[in-house]
Amino acid sequence: MQIQVSKTALSRALGIALLGTAGASAFAQDPTPPTETSASATDLDAVVVRGYRQSLQFATEAKRESTGFTDSIFAEDIGKFPDTNIAESLSRIPGIQLNRDVNGEGLNIAIRGLPSSFTKTTINGASVATASIGLDATNQNREVDLNIFPTEFFNQLTVYKSPTARLTEGGASGVVDMRNMRPFDVNGSQVTYSLQADYNDIAEKTSPRGTVIGSWTNDEGTFGVLVGVTSQRGKMGVEGYETVGWTNPNLTNAQCGNGGAPGGFPALGSACNVTGGNGWRIPDVVPNNASTIAAGLVPGQAIDAAWLQANNPGLTTAQIGEALIPRLGRPVHMSGDRDRDAFLGSLQWRPSDNAELYLDVLYTKAKRTNDRIDINLIGRNGALIPLDMQLDTNNVVTGATFTNAQFFLEARPYTEDVQYWHLTPGGTFWFGDAQDVKLDVQANMSRSWMFRDSPTILFNSPYTTLQYANDGNVPTWNTDLDLNDPNLGWTWNGGRVWAQNEKRVTQTRGVRADLQLGEDRNNVTFGVAWDNNQRRVQGFGDTGTDWQPYAFSQVSDAELAGYIVPGPLGFVTVDFERFMRDTNYAQYRDAAGEASGANTGGPTGGFDETTKAAYVMVNGESEIWNRNLRYNMGVRYATTDQEISGPVTIGGVRQWQTLTGDYAEWLPSFSAAWDVADNVVLRTSASRTMTRPNPSSMLPATTFTDISAQVANQGNPNLTPYTSTNFDIGGEWYTGGEGFVGLTLFNKRIEGYTYQGVTTRPFSSLGIPFESLVAEQQQAILSRGGPDVATVNVNQQVNADAELEVRGWEAIWVQPLSVVLEGLGFMANYTKLDIKTLGNDADALAGNVYGVAPSMWNATAYWENDVASVRLSYTWAEGAVGTGPNQQGIPFAQIYGEDRGQLDLSASYTLKGIRSEPQLTFNVLNITGEERRSYFAYPNAVNDMYDPGTTFTVGIRGTF
């Protein structure tokens, strides 16, 4: 299929996208005036844009006409984006790292080596904040979960890697702007429909979804209305394995054989306790139970150094003291609903040639459930007795017989309701005979809220003896217990029944005005903006106080089996509906008091930020050696007044405390693009950008992040913003059609980057009353020696006296191959990052830069003609450090993500000659069924593994 698009038409099409946002600062960077072109070129104002190649062509032309470093993705047609998920679409852009949820769904993105919280997300130039969180994410920072937004409502995504003064500040790494559809984007009136059905081979259920978008414009083209609705009834299924970290034994001096007081413990750094950890307690004497007797042990016999060496031949007690096992080795199964309904409404009105007004309304509502169950081999705070244990050179246990072993079933079903609405009114006004004075004004309001109802039901198995093996994939065990038998002998002894909820509310408001003096290529622009951003997170918990004793009174050990049913993954689950009903769960859930944090790990607290900004910006053109040079320069000044609030206990009284602060930043920027040849553009950019600090790290409280009370977080209200000094240089060679080859080199130096200072301290030094802990935490402290002996790893974020330097390069090649086969082509890009730290705290900071893939690439091969298209895409990211050091009290231990690639297929066929020209679609996500994996310190110590399965989608779409 031959594609020829005039620059005039494309500029007008882009101009609609640019001007339609009016005050939306993201799109006023590089407007292009009309130019004379061949009459044979396609007039984009008169046709509906269709096809993947047309989408690529738009992106190529948008990049060519920009002054700075930007990348765009355009819809293939009304209501049809190249991918079914916004984050997935953005991952096709070089320098973009995709963060996936455990079910494989794209959640959010990171740009050029900085975490996702350094990316500013806007809709039509207005700030976005979402209250939603992922299946295993806490979203404690400034991340925006993109899976709440339907792709069907957007027709352009733009990533600004170099800023202009007009862009809203807050994205040190870049800005992502999502532009929703408007009626003037569509010629005349039309209705587009889409129906799809997904099938996931883990969920083994079908998920339908449908979309209808209608647009009407009057005959004069001065007033238009666009309305869209979309509905999805999704089914989710995930199978996996988790460990919650790894740990080693807390041997006594008697078990170590070091000559110290028998009941004492070796000092940290000495034999049997070289690396810390100490989360697993081998009993001092052999317990009297069926498992130990069946293993041939003598109840009451002392377990000392000689005993351990005799029963674990070939190992010294020093080696046994460092033996690493999963804290909670557990197969996990998740299943549930992922429902979402959304609405888009947009009005546009041109009352005269000198004015254009618009109003956009976006609303989305999601209901998500997850019947999550896992069966845990108890290592953390457990009492395993090792026999015939084998270790590798890293002290990872590769095989053993464990007696006195016990499992617990943990059922954590949740129901989550999320809502989001976004309102954006605005207008553009032109003044003067030449209409070379332009005023853009815009207001925005958004609100998002989430409620997650998340109980926990936990009961224990009988003691057993099992064979444990770790071949480097995931640890396995063989036991005589039938863990899928409701009548096994499960017990509440050591179990728990908790009611925990989480409420989140985010809100943004803003007003901005931009005055441009001059035509689009040569002008001076002044602007002012006022923005307010608020968030409040509240955890509520009845953690053993009221619901648990009532539930135990209603469902005794003898009756427990009647509430247990066989599960889908070889271990039991709970008859949730019956158990909740018979134990009055709803009553206790609603009565749960405010807690210091939610069970997702997000601390209770909030922030309220008000920003005032002003800027001046110059756009101009010149010639160097008879070649056109475009440039943009400006400076933005932004002040922030900040309130951080959270609950504290002072004098035994719990109350919310608010801390205030303020700061201001000057943010200059410069970009230039030089057309050194007819089809070659060179670019450069220099700028200073900022991201505000993580509000969750500033809350005035100390919170525990786990039930074993081994890790605590303390807030630091004195954190300052991150600021980044950025330099970019690069260029592109445009080869024709959608084709081009580009290379960019970039350098960022970030000041104020935080690192997690970790200290290991006795619990008694934290100033937290022991009696304020829940019963399970108290028991965990006592099992480790009591408040004066048990240590806690205390984490606190601090600004580093150092700079983080991110250097990298990205290359992209988009190439049509019509000389081989009409409609054939490919797109490929590669990004390489090099991160280092400079300054006094360089070493400390180096261990706290994580979550960044050192290299990434993706490639797409496509073929398309008038009726059919096929596209095969592969995305790959190198494994990255996922956390800071000192995981589970082991100083060197960090979590590492493994390399992962994903292969996807998209195909369609259009039935020409039939009313609405229905297009049949077929997509396959994760064709090869790739898992998502991470490991703890060593590759054979898996931290978690999730298998999201493969998803098949069939659909039909058309336009009337």
Side-chain angles (χ1 to χ4, degrees):
M1 178 174 60
Q2 186 68 28
I3 298 176
Q4 185 179 11
V5 182
S6 72
K7 186 174 292 187
T8 300
L10 180 63
S11 297
R12 291 202 299 271
L14 293 175
I16 292 174
L18 301 174
L19 299 177
T21 62
S25 46
F27 280 96
Q29 182 180 353
D30 303 298
T32 305
T35 59
E36 294 298 325
T37 59
S38 168
S40 65
T42 303
D43 185 352
L44 298 182
D45 292 336
V47 299
V48 175
V49 177
R50 296 181 184 274
Y52 181 69
R53 293 186 64 196
Q54 198 80 291
S55 171
L56 288 180
Q57 175 105 24
F58 280 14
T60 297
E61 291 291 341
K63 186 175 186 70
R64 182 171 187 169
E65 294 179 12
S66 68
T67 300
F69 290 85
T70 69
D71 291 281
S72 298
I73 299 175
F74 289 83
E76 299 178 31
D77 197 352
I78 300 299
K80 185 185 181 185
F81 230 73
D83 295 275
T84 58
N85 176 284
I86 287 178
E88 298 270 1
S89 293
L90 290 168
S91 71
R92 312 300 181 193
I93 291 175
I96 300 295
Q97 179 178 337
L98 174 65
N99 299 318
R100 296 183 185 274
D101 210 339
V102 298
N103 64 341
E105 185 178 20
L107 196 61
N108 48 51
I109 62 146
I111 302 175
R112 286 183 171 178
L114 293 176
S116 56
S117 58
F118 286 75
T119 299
K120 180 73 172 180
T121 303
T122 60
I123 294 179
N124 303 326
S127 295
V128 173
T130 57
S132 59
I133 58 178
L135 287 164
D136 74 334
T138 60
N139 201 352
Q140 299 181 44
N141 206 331
R142 298 176 185 272
E143 305 93 342
V144 172
D145 289 351
L146 298 173
N147 62 353
I148 194 72
F149 302 112
T151 59
E152 293 89 343
F153 290 167
F154 297 90
N155 59 5
Q156 184 178 356
L157 308 176
T158 301
V159 178
Y160 293 86
K161 299 173 183 176
S162 61
T164 68
R166 196 172 185 178
L167 279 172
T168 302
E169 76 287 339
S173 62
V175 176
V176 174
D177 187 83
M178 305 185 293
R179 184 192 181 276
N180 63 253
M181 290 184 296
R182 289 181 174 153
F184 289 172
D185 297 341
V186 183
N187 187 25
S189 302
Q190 70 175 48
V191 175
T192 297
Y193 65 89
S194 173
L195 295 172
Q196 291 181 306
D198 301 335
Y199 178 83
N200 179 268
D201 62 0
I202 298 292
E204 297 183 335
K205 294 180 180 179
T206 301
S207 304
R209 65 174 181 263
T211 302
V212 177
I213 300 172
S215 181
W216 171 85
T217 305
N218 64 2
D219 293 338
E220 294 77 17
T222 58
F223 183 76
V225 179
L226 183 143
V227 175
V229 292
T230 182
S231 183
Q232 174 180 333
R233 295 296 176 263
K235 302 295 181 182
M236 180 268 297
V238 178
E239 295 176 354
Y241 184 88
E242 299 171 339
T243 63
V244 200
W246 289 57
T247 193
N248 49 31
N250 188 16
L251 299 185
T252 64
N253 290 328
Q255 292 171 335
C256 181
N258 59 9
F265 298 88
L268 181 63
S270 63
C272 303
N273 189 18
V274 174
T275 60
N278 304 328
W280 159 29
R281 184 72 172 84
I282 299 174
D284 295 325
V285 298
V286 176
N288 185 5
N289 61 50
S291 73
T292 57
I293 294 172
L297 304 185
V298 179
Q301 186 177 23
I303 301 179
D304 55 16
W307 191 98
L308 287 172
Q309 288 181 294
N311 285 276
N312 294 276
L315 297 181
T316 65
T317 56
Q319 290 175 302
I320 295 172
E322 303 301 324
L324 287 168
I325 64 169
R327 296 176 76 230
L328 293 173
R330 60 192 193 196
V332 60
H333 184 274
M334 305 181 208
S335 63
D337 300 328
R338 309 287 283 180
D339 299 343
R340 185 186 65 196
D341 300 308
F343 168 84
L344 172 67
S346 181
L347 304 176
Q348 281 183 289
W349 180 37
R350 294 191 187 114
S352 71
D353 291 339
N354 299 323
E356 181 176 309
L357 305 175
Y358 63 88
L359 174 66
D360 298 316
V361 179
L362 174 65
Y363 174 77
T364 181
K365 178 180 181 180
K367 186 177 185 66
R368 299 160 176 168
T369 64
N370 183 9
D371 289 342
R372 176 197 161 98
I373 55 173
D374 48 74
I375 190 73
N376 298 253
L377 174 60
I378 303 174
R380 177 190 73 188
N381 301 322
L384 296 172
I385 299 175
L387 305 172
D388 298 317
M389 189 163 60
Q390 296 95 46
L391 311 178
D392 67 10
T393 56
N394 295 317
N395 293 314
V396 175
V397 177
T398 57
T401 297
F402 286 123
T403 190
N404 203 45
Q406 195 174 26
F407 295 89
F408 68 76
L409 184 284
E410 182 181 43
R412 286 190 287 160
Y414 76 67
T415 301
E416 176 182 291
D417 292 290
V418 181
Q419 295 185 62
Y420 178 90
W421 64 262
H422 191 105
L423 178 67
T424 314
T428 303
F429 306 89
W430 291 266
F431 305 94
D433 294 338
Q435 293 192 338
D436 57 357
V437 176
K438 182 172 66 174
L439 174 65
D440 291 334
V441 293
Q442 185 191 64
N444 67 276
M445 293 166 282
S446 78
R447 184 177 175 87
S448 178
W449 55 99
M450 182 205 76
F451 178 76
R452 176 180 280 194
D453 163 12
S454 182
T456 299
I457 303 167
L458 186 154
F459 43 79
N460 287 327
S461 75
Y463 285 98
T464 186
T465 298
L466 57 84
Q467 306 301 316
Y468 171 94
N470 178 16
D471 63 2
N473 184 20
V474 297
T476 59
W477 59 71
N478 288 314
T479 173
D480 292 336
L481 297 181
D482 181 359
L483 297 173
N484 210 19
D485 181 4
N487 297 299
L488 176 65
W490 302 97
T491 175
W492 287 125
N493 185 27
R496 65 174 181 262
V497 177
W498 286 4
Q500 292 176 287
N501 314 317
E502 181 174 357
K503 295 180 180 178
R504 293 186 179 221
V505 178
T506 64
Q507 178 176 291
T508 65
R509 296 175 292 163
V511 179
R512 53 189 51 82
D514 306 279
L515 180 64
Q516 177 181 306
L517 307 178
E519 50 93 10
D520 287 342
R521 289 284 192 176
N522 296 276
N523 61 69
V524 178
T525 303
F526 303 90
V528 293
W530 176 90
D531 287 283
N532 178 261
N533 186 15
Q534 301 177 32
R535 186 183 76 182
R536 187 180 181 96
V537 178
Q538 287 180 280
F540 298 86
D542 176 351
T543 52
T545 53
D546 296 318
W547 186 37
Q548 179 169 299
Y550 179 77
F552 287 179
S553 72
Q554 299 300 300
V555 180
S556 66
D557 266 10
E559 299 167 309
L560 180 57
Y563 292 84
I564 302 174
V565 295
L569 199 62
F571 54 88
V572 295
T573 185
V574 177
D575 184 342
F576 295 115
E577 182 177 354
R578 182 183 177 210
F579 185 84
M580 302 304 188
R581 182 187 65 243
D582 291 356
T583 60
N584 290 340
Y585 166 69
Q587 171 188 333
Y588 291 99
R589 175 200 62 200
D590 296 340
E594 185 182 79
S596 59
N599 66 345
T600 59
T604 293
F607 69 88
D608 186 334
E609 294 173 342
T610 298
T611 301
K612 300 172 184 176
Y615 75 90
V616 59
M617 181 178 72
V618 176
N619 284 296
E621 286 186 304
S622 182
E623 284 194 355
I624 297 179
W625 297 332
N626 297 319
R627 290 292 179 177
N628 187 58
L629 173 72
R630 307 184 303 278
Y631 58 86
N632 170 283
M633 65 180 69
V635 62
R636 186 180 185 90
Y637 178 74
T639 66
T640 302
D641 295 312
Q642 187 177 65
E643 295 181 353
I644 301 291
S645 57
V648 297
T649 301
I650 302 175
V653 178
R654 181 182 174 88
Q655 57 188 318
W656 275 63
Q657 183 182 45
T658 299
L659 305 175
T660 61
D662 61 83
Y663 47 86
E665 295 289 344
W666 288 95
L667 304 171
S669 59
F670 170 81
S671 295
W674 185 25
D675 299 326
V676 295
D678 290 342
N679 295 308
V680 178
V681 180
L682 297 183
R683 305 179 192 277
T684 188
S685 176
S687 63
R688 180 177 171 85
T689 53
M690 66 166 286
T691 286
R692 296 176 177 88
N694 182 354
S696 295
S697 299
M698 304 174 70
L699 299 177
T702 300
T703 58
F704 286 100
T705 61
D706 65 344
I707 193 60
S708 64
Q710 280 190 304
V711 180
N713 289 335
Q714 284 187 332
N716 181 358
N718 299 314
L719 292 178
T720 58
Y722 312 92
T723 57
S724 178
T725 302
N726 316 296
F727 296 96
D728 304 78
I729 187 171
E732 306 92 38
W733 170 37
Y734 294 89
T735 59
E738 68 265 35
F740 77 98
V741 179
L743 176 67
T744 302
L745 310 177
F746 56 88
N747 180 280
K748 295 177 178 290
R749 283 205 173 188
I750 301 96
E751 300 177 13
Y753 205 95
T754 59
Y755 70 92
Q756 187 159 274
V758 182
T759 57
T760 301
R761 297 156 53 186
F763 170 83
S764 58
S765 70
L766 299 182
I768 299 174
F770 178 72
E771 58 273 12
S772 70
L773 301 181
V774 300
E776 285 75 10
Q777 290 174 327
Q778 292 183 16
Q779 181 59 43
I781 292 291
L782 292 173
S783 72
R784 301 202 304 273
D788 294 328
V789 175
T791 58
V792 177
N793 303 304
V794 181
N795 305 320
Q796 185 183 57
Q797 290 289 318
V798 296
N799 291 110
D801 181 15
E803 290 183 340
L804 178 69
E805 183 180 61
V806 180
R807 289 185 176 184
W809 60 274
E810 53 192 37
I812 183 169
W813 187 4
V814 182
Q815 186 60 56
L817 297 173
S818 296
V819 294
V820 178
L821 177 65
E822 185 66 29
L824 185 67
F826 70 85
M827 176 183 69
N829 64 65
Y830 178 85
T831 302
K832 179 66 176 177
L833 299 170
D834 179 40
I835 300 177
K836 63 181 180 180
T837 55
L838 309 168
N840 293 332
D841 291 336
D843 291 340
L845 182 58
N848 285 268
V849 179
Y850 44 82
V852 178
S855 61
M856 300 163 282
W857 65 270
N858 63 77
T860 298
Y862 59 88
W863 172 81
E864 183 177 73
N865 66 14
D866 290 335
V867 296
S869 70
V870 179
R871 187 167 72 248
L872 197 63
S873 299
Y874 187 78
T875 301
W876 181 90
E878 184 179 354
V881 178
T883 67
N886 207 25
Q887 292 296 304
Q888 308 306 331
I890 300 175
F892 63 83
Q894 292 181 270
I895 307 299
Y896 298 84
E898 295 190 2
D899 300 350
R900 186 180 188 276
Q902 179 167 312
L903 182 65
D904 302 326
L905 170 71
S906 178
S908 67
Y909 186 84
T910 302
L911 302 176
K912 292 286 189 178
I914 300 178
R915 180 172 168 78
S916 83
E917 293 194 348
Q919 184 182 73
L920 306 179
T921 61
F922 176 67
N923 300 328
V924 185
L925 298 179
N926 197 20
I927 294 173
T928 56
E930 296 299 318
E931 302 166 347
R932 198 197 84 174
R933 296 175 60 96
S934 67
Y935 62 88
F936 181 95
Y938 305 112
N940 65 335
V942 62
N943 182 67
D944 56 40
M945 180 279 291
Y946 301 103
D947 180 5
T950 300
T951 300
F952 304 86
T953 303
V954 294
I956 184 171
R957 65 181 312 279
T959 299
F960 293 99

